[in-house]
Amino acid sequence: LVLPPSAGDDLQGSKKGIMEIADMVVVNKADGALLVPARHTRSDYRRAMHLMPARHDGWTPKVELCSSLDPNGGVAKVWESILEFDKTLGPSGQMEKNRQRQRHHWMWSTLSEQLKQYFRDIARVSPEMFDVVKETRLDA
């Protein structure tokens, strides 16, 4: 999850759903006048991430600062954290299991959307299907 420096201001719930699935949070643009707000945002998110349930055995989500303007500004540190994540979860098979779950979910989501589109197309062509759709609309 990549956030701007002032993202801690609206922490309460607006990003809760995405935070629950984040394996790392990166506070971007942590340089110049934005460095202090970025540090505050990092602190806010570190505290918030500790309240989230663990998603993976052996991994605690990290919250890093990053600036592309500063050669020591965190891009390398973010990359190191990504490699550490891969090294931690790769051998256990957790990442592959996660990918399998994602592929399964994506397959069913795609199939569901295609079926919905198929029936929408039929409703446009078939008078009987159009009547069924019309009868079941809430705003009719």
Side-chain angles (χ1 to χ4, degrees), residues 23 56 85-103:
D23 295 313
H56 306 288
F85 176 78
D86 186 57
K87 187 172 123 182
T88 302
L89 272 63
S92 69
Q94 290 182 66
M95 287 300 294
E96 182 53 34
K97 287 178 187 172
N98 188 42
R99 293 292 179 249
Q100 287 174 337
R101 281 191 299 272
Q102 288 173 339
R103 285 190 297 269

PDB file of all heavy atoms in Angstrom, residues 23 56 85-103:
ATOM      1  N   ASP A  23       0.675  -6.134   2.990  1.00  0.00           N
ATOM      2  CA  ASP A  23       1.847  -6.792   3.559  1.00  0.00           C
ATOM      3  C   ASP A  23       2.946  -5.780   3.863  1.00  0.00           C
ATOM      4  O   ASP A  23       3.885  -6.077   4.586  1.00  0.00           O
ATOM      5  CB  ASP A  23       2.381  -7.855   2.595  1.00  0.00           C
ATOM      6  CG  ASP A  23       1.368  -8.978   2.418  1.00  0.00           C
ATOM      7  OD1 ASP A  23       0.846  -9.462   3.438  1.00  0.00           O
ATOM      8  OD2 ASP A  23       1.105  -9.358   1.272  1.00  0.00           O
ATOM      9  N   HIS A  56       0.115 -13.619   7.623  1.00  0.00           N
ATOM     10  CA  HIS A  56       1.075 -14.655   7.260  1.00  0.00           C
ATOM     11  C   HIS A  56       1.895 -15.042   8.491  1.00  0.00           C
ATOM     12  O   HIS A  56       2.291 -14.173   9.264  1.00  0.00           O
ATOM     13  CB  HIS A  56       2.048 -14.150   6.189  1.00  0.00           C
ATOM     14  CG  HIS A  56       1.380 -13.600   4.973  1.00  0.00           C
ATOM     15  ND1 HIS A  56       0.731 -14.382   4.050  1.00  0.00           N
ATOM     16  CD2 HIS A  56       1.255 -12.329   4.526  1.00  0.00           C
ATOM     17  CE1 HIS A  56       0.257 -13.619   3.092  1.00  0.00           C
ATOM     18  NE2 HIS A  56       0.552 -12.371   3.349  1.00  0.00           N
ATOM     19  N   PHE A  85      10.304 -10.188   2.427  1.00  0.00           N
ATOM     20  CA  PHE A  85       8.966 -10.779   2.412  1.00  0.00           C
ATOM     21  C   PHE A  85       8.964 -12.058   1.578  1.00  0.00           C
ATOM     22  O   PHE A  85       8.475 -13.099   2.011  1.00  0.00           O
ATOM     23  CB  PHE A  85       7.966  -9.757   1.846  1.00  0.00           C
ATOM     24  CG  PHE A  85       6.572 -10.278   1.694  1.00  0.00           C
ATOM     25  CD1 PHE A  85       5.732 -10.381   2.794  1.00  0.00           C
ATOM     26  CD2 PHE A  85       6.076 -10.653   0.452  1.00  0.00           C
ATOM     27  CE1 PHE A  85       4.432 -10.853   2.662  1.00  0.00           C
ATOM     28  CE2 PHE A  85       4.785 -11.132   0.300  1.00  0.00           C
ATOM     29  CZ  PHE A  85       3.963 -11.225   1.419  1.00  0.00           C
ATOM     30  N   ASP A  86       9.542 -11.976   0.385  1.00  0.00           N
ATOM     31  CA  ASP A  86       9.603 -13.136  -0.502  1.00  0.00           C
ATOM     32  C   ASP A  86      10.423 -14.262   0.126  1.00  0.00           C
ATOM     33  O   ASP A  86      10.036 -15.433   0.064  1.00  0.00           O
ATOM     34  CB  ASP A  86      10.200 -12.725  -1.847  1.00  0.00           C
ATOM     35  CG  ASP A  86      10.154 -13.857  -2.858  1.00  0.00           C
ATOM     36  OD1 ASP A  86       9.055 -14.371  -3.123  1.00  0.00           O
ATOM     37  OD2 ASP A  86      11.226 -14.238  -3.353  1.00  0.00           O
ATOM     38  N   LYS A  87      11.535 -13.910   0.740  1.00  0.00           N
ATOM     39  CA  LYS A  87      12.398 -14.908   1.383  1.00  0.00           C
ATOM     40  C   LYS A  87      11.698 -15.568   2.572  1.00  0.00           C
ATOM     41  O   LYS A  87      11.849 -16.766   2.824  1.00  0.00           O
ATOM     42  CB  LYS A  87      13.698 -14.233   1.836  1.00  0.00           C
ATOM     43  CG  LYS A  87      14.748 -15.174   2.353  1.00  0.00           C
ATOM     44  CD  LYS A  87      16.043 -14.412   2.571  1.00  0.00           C
ATOM     45  CE  LYS A  87      16.481 -14.577   4.002  1.00  0.00           C
ATOM     46  NZ  LYS A  87      17.686 -13.850   4.331  1.00  0.00           N
ATOM     47  N   THR A  88      10.899 -14.796   3.281  1.00  0.00           N
ATOM     48  CA  THR A  88      10.185 -15.314   4.458  1.00  0.00           C
ATOM     49  C   THR A  88       9.031 -16.223   4.059  1.00  0.00           C
ATOM     50  O   THR A  88       8.848 -17.292   4.646  1.00  0.00           O
ATOM     51  CB  THR A  88       9.653 -14.144   5.315  1.00  0.00           C
ATOM     52  OG1 THR A  88      10.753 -13.324   5.705  1.00  0.00           O
ATOM     53  CG2 THR A  88       8.921 -14.633   6.547  1.00  0.00           C
ATOM     54  N   LEU A  89       8.254 -15.819   3.066  1.00  0.00           N
ATOM     55  CA  LEU A  89       7.053 -16.574   2.722  1.00  0.00           C
ATOM     56  C   LEU A  89       7.259 -17.585   1.606  1.00  0.00           C
ATOM     57  O   LEU A  89       6.516 -18.570   1.529  1.00  0.00           O
ATOM     58  CB  LEU A  89       5.929 -15.617   2.328  1.00  0.00           C
ATOM     59  CG  LEU A  89       5.080 -15.125   3.495  1.00  0.00           C
ATOM     60  CD1 LEU A  89       5.856 -14.318   4.477  1.00  0.00           C
ATOM     61  CD2 LEU A  89       3.882 -14.389   3.003  1.00  0.00           C
ATOM     62  N   GLY A  90       8.225 -17.361   0.741  1.00  0.00           N
ATOM     63  CA  GLY A  90       8.437 -18.252  -0.398  1.00  0.00           C
ATOM     64  C   GLY A  90       8.656 -19.707  -0.032  1.00  0.00           C
ATOM     65  O   GLY A  90       7.919 -20.590  -0.495  1.00  0.00           O
ATOM     66  N   PRO A  91       9.649 -20.018   0.799  1.00  0.00           N
ATOM     67  CA  PRO A  91       9.947 -21.425   1.110  1.00  0.00           C
ATOM     68  C   PRO A  91       8.806 -22.167   1.814  1.00  0.00           C
ATOM     69  O   PRO A  91       8.677 -23.372   1.671  1.00  0.00           O
ATOM     70  CB  PRO A  91      11.166 -21.334   2.029  1.00  0.00           C
ATOM     71  CG  PRO A  91      11.789 -20.023   1.724  1.00  0.00           C
ATOM     72  CD  PRO A  91      10.653 -19.114   1.361  1.00  0.00           C
ATOM     73  N   SER A  92       7.977 -21.447   2.548  1.00  0.00           N
ATOM     74  CA  SER A  92       6.891 -22.109   3.276  1.00  0.00           C
ATOM     75  C   SER A  92       5.721 -22.481   2.370  1.00  0.00           C
ATOM     76  O   SER A  92       4.823 -23.206   2.787  1.00  0.00           O
ATOM     77  CB  SER A  92       6.386 -21.186   4.393  1.00  0.00           C
ATOM     78  OG  SER A  92       5.715 -20.070   3.835  1.00  0.00           O
ATOM     79  N   GLY A  93       5.710 -21.942   1.160  1.00  0.00           N
ATOM     80  CA  GLY A  93       4.610 -22.210   0.245  1.00  0.00           C
ATOM     81  C   GLY A  93       3.418 -21.286   0.439  1.00  0.00           C
ATOM     82  O   GLY A  93       2.418 -21.397  -0.266  1.00  0.00           O
ATOM     83  N   GLN A  94       3.520 -20.338   1.386  1.00  0.00           N
ATOM     84  CA  GLN A  94       2.395 -19.438   1.651  1.00  0.00           C
ATOM     85  C   GLN A  94       2.053 -18.566   0.445  1.00  0.00           C
ATOM     86  O   GLN A  94       0.878 -18.332   0.155  1.00  0.00           O
ATOM     87  CB  GLN A  94       2.705 -18.537   2.855  1.00  0.00           C
ATOM     88  CG  GLN A  94       2.727 -19.266   4.182  1.00  0.00           C
ATOM     89  CD  GLN A  94       2.982 -18.312   5.324  1.00  0.00           C
ATOM     90  OE1 GLN A  94       2.156 -17.459   5.610  1.00  0.00           O
ATOM     91  NE2 GLN A  94       4.134 -18.454   5.971  1.00  0.00           N
ATOM     92  N   MET A  95       3.082 -18.103  -0.260  1.00  0.00           N
ATOM     93  CA  MET A  95       2.826 -17.244  -1.416  1.00  0.00           C
ATOM     94  C   MET A  95       2.115 -18.028  -2.521  1.00  0.00           C
ATOM     95  O   MET A  95       1.185 -17.524  -3.143  1.00  0.00           O
ATOM     96  CB  MET A  95       4.125 -16.643  -1.955  1.00  0.00           C
ATOM     97  CG  MET A  95       4.700 -15.560  -1.083  1.00  0.00           C
ATOM     98  SD  MET A  95       3.584 -14.155  -0.850  1.00  0.00           S
ATOM     99  CE  MET A  95       3.516 -13.498  -2.495  1.00  0.00           C
ATOM    100  N   GLU A  96       2.544 -19.246  -2.768  1.00  0.00           N
ATOM    101  CA  GLU A  96       1.907 -20.048  -3.811  1.00  0.00           C
ATOM    102  C   GLU A  96       0.461 -20.362  -3.436  1.00  0.00           C
ATOM    103  O   GLU A  96      -0.432 -20.309  -4.283  1.00  0.00           O
ATOM    104  CB  GLU A  96       2.689 -21.341  -4.063  1.00  0.00           C
ATOM    105  CG  GLU A  96       2.114 -22.195  -5.169  1.00  0.00           C
ATOM    106  CD  GLU A  96       1.904 -21.461  -6.498  1.00  0.00           C
ATOM    107  OE1 GLU A  96       2.700 -20.557  -6.842  1.00  0.00           O
ATOM    108  OE2 GLU A  96       0.928 -21.786  -7.199  1.00  0.00           O
ATOM    109  N   LYS A  97       0.203 -20.654  -2.173  1.00  0.00           N
ATOM    110  CA  LYS A  97      -1.180 -20.899  -1.736  1.00  0.00           C
ATOM    111  C   LYS A  97      -2.024 -19.650  -1.931  1.00  0.00           C
ATOM    112  O   LYS A  97      -3.183 -19.726  -2.355  1.00  0.00           O
ATOM    113  CB  LYS A  97      -1.207 -21.334  -0.272  1.00  0.00           C
ATOM    114  CG  LYS A  97      -0.707 -22.735  -0.055  1.00  0.00           C
ATOM    115  CD  LYS A  97      -0.712 -23.082   1.418  1.00  0.00           C
ATOM    116  CE  LYS A  97      -0.043 -24.431   1.631  1.00  0.00           C
ATOM    117  NZ  LYS A  97       0.146 -24.731   3.051  1.00  0.00           N
ATOM    118  N   ASN A  98      -1.450 -18.493  -1.623  1.00  0.00           N
ATOM    119  CA  ASN A  98      -2.154 -17.234  -1.817  1.00  0.00           C
ATOM    120  C   ASN A  98      -2.461 -17.018  -3.298  1.00  0.00           C
ATOM    121  O   ASN A  98      -3.568 -16.618  -3.666  1.00  0.00           O
ATOM    122  CB  ASN A  98      -1.321 -16.076  -1.261  1.00  0.00           C
ATOM    123  CG  ASN A  98      -2.090 -14.783  -1.261  1.00  0.00           C
ATOM    124  OD1 ASN A  98      -3.262 -14.733  -0.925  1.00  0.00           O
ATOM    125  ND2 ASN A  98      -1.413 -13.710  -1.647  1.00  0.00           N
ATOM    126  N   ARG A  99      -1.494 -17.282  -4.158  1.00  0.00           N
ATOM    127  CA  ARG A  99      -1.691 -17.133  -5.609  1.00  0.00           C
ATOM    128  C   ARG A  99      -2.784 -18.093  -6.109  1.00  0.00           C
ATOM    129  O   ARG A  99      -3.591 -17.729  -6.956  1.00  0.00           O
ATOM    130  CB  ARG A  99      -0.392 -17.383  -6.378  1.00  0.00           C
ATOM    131  CG  ARG A  99       0.673 -16.356  -6.128  1.00  0.00           C
ATOM    132  CD  ARG A  99       0.279 -15.006  -6.720  1.00  0.00           C
ATOM    133  NE  ARG A  99       1.297 -14.016  -6.456  1.00  0.00           N
ATOM    134  CZ  ARG A  99       1.156 -12.991  -5.639  1.00  0.00           C
ATOM    135  NH1 ARG A  99       0.026 -12.826  -4.991  1.00  0.00           N
ATOM    136  NH2 ARG A  99       2.129 -12.121  -5.461  1.00  0.00           N
ATOM    137  N   GLN A 100      -2.808 -19.311  -5.579  1.00  0.00           N
ATOM    138  CA  GLN A 100      -3.850 -20.261  -5.967  1.00  0.00           C
ATOM    139  C   GLN A 100      -5.229 -19.745  -5.571  1.00  0.00           C
ATOM    140  O   GLN A 100      -6.178 -19.823  -6.354  1.00  0.00           O
ATOM    141  CB  GLN A 100      -3.598 -21.629  -5.335  1.00  0.00           C
ATOM    142  CG  GLN A 100      -2.451 -22.390  -5.953  1.00  0.00           C
ATOM    143  CD  GLN A 100      -2.151 -23.674  -5.207  1.00  0.00           C
ATOM    144  OE1 GLN A 100      -2.474 -23.836  -4.036  1.00  0.00           O
ATOM    145  NE2 GLN A 100      -1.506 -24.603  -5.900  1.00  0.00           N
ATOM    146  N   ARG A 101      -5.342 -19.216  -4.350  1.00  0.00           N
ATOM    147  CA  ARG A 101      -6.621 -18.643  -3.904  1.00  0.00           C
ATOM    148  C   ARG A 101      -7.029 -17.485  -4.803  1.00  0.00           C
ATOM    149  O   ARG A 101      -8.199 -17.352  -5.177  1.00  0.00           O
ATOM    150  CB  ARG A 101      -6.532 -18.180  -2.455  1.00  0.00           C
ATOM    151  CG  ARG A 101      -6.652 -19.281  -1.439  1.00  0.00           C
ATOM    152  CD  ARG A 101      -6.834 -18.734  -0.029  1.00  0.00           C
ATOM    153  NE  ARG A 101      -5.731 -17.911   0.410  1.00  0.00           N
ATOM    154  CZ  ARG A 101      -4.632 -18.363   1.007  1.00  0.00           C
ATOM    155  NH1 ARG A 101      -4.500 -19.660   1.236  1.00  0.00           N
ATOM    156  NH2 ARG A 101      -3.684 -17.551   1.382  1.00  0.00           N
ATOM    157  N   GLN A 102      -6.059 -16.626  -5.164  1.00  0.00           N
ATOM    158  CA  GLN A 102      -6.360 -15.498  -6.038  1.00  0.00           C
ATOM    159  C   GLN A 102      -6.826 -15.967  -7.414  1.00  0.00           C
ATOM    160  O   GLN A 102      -7.815 -15.449  -7.949  1.00  0.00           O
ATOM    161  CB  GLN A 102      -5.128 -14.600  -6.201  1.00  0.00           C
ATOM    162  CG  GLN A 102      -4.801 -13.796  -4.975  1.00  0.00           C
ATOM    163  CD  GLN A 102      -3.492 -13.054  -5.116  1.00  0.00           C
ATOM    164  OE1 GLN A 102      -2.633 -13.410  -5.927  1.00  0.00           O
ATOM    165  NE2 GLN A 102      -3.319 -12.010  -4.306  1.00  0.00           N
ATOM    166  N   ARG A 103      -6.120 -16.932  -7.988  1.00  0.00           N
ATOM    167  CA  ARG A 103      -6.522 -17.443  -9.311  1.00  0.00           C
ATOM    168  C   ARG A 103      -7.927 -18.040  -9.262  1.00  0.00           C
ATOM    169  O   ARG A 103      -8.731 -17.839 -10.170  1.00  0.00           O
ATOM    170  CB  ARG A 103      -5.510 -18.474  -9.822  1.00  0.00           C
ATOM    171  CG  ARG A 103      -4.209 -17.858 -10.307  1.00  0.00           C
ATOM    172  CD  ARG A 103      -3.323 -18.871 -11.016  1.00  0.00           C
ATOM    173  NE  ARG A 103      -2.877 -19.956 -10.180  1.00  0.00           N
ATOM    174  CZ  ARG A 103      -1.749 -19.961  -9.465  1.00  0.00           C
ATOM    175  NH1 ARG A 103      -0.937 -18.929  -9.495  1.00  0.00           N
ATOM    176  NH2 ARG A 103      -1.420 -21.011  -8.744  1.00  0.00           N
TER     177      ARG A 103
END
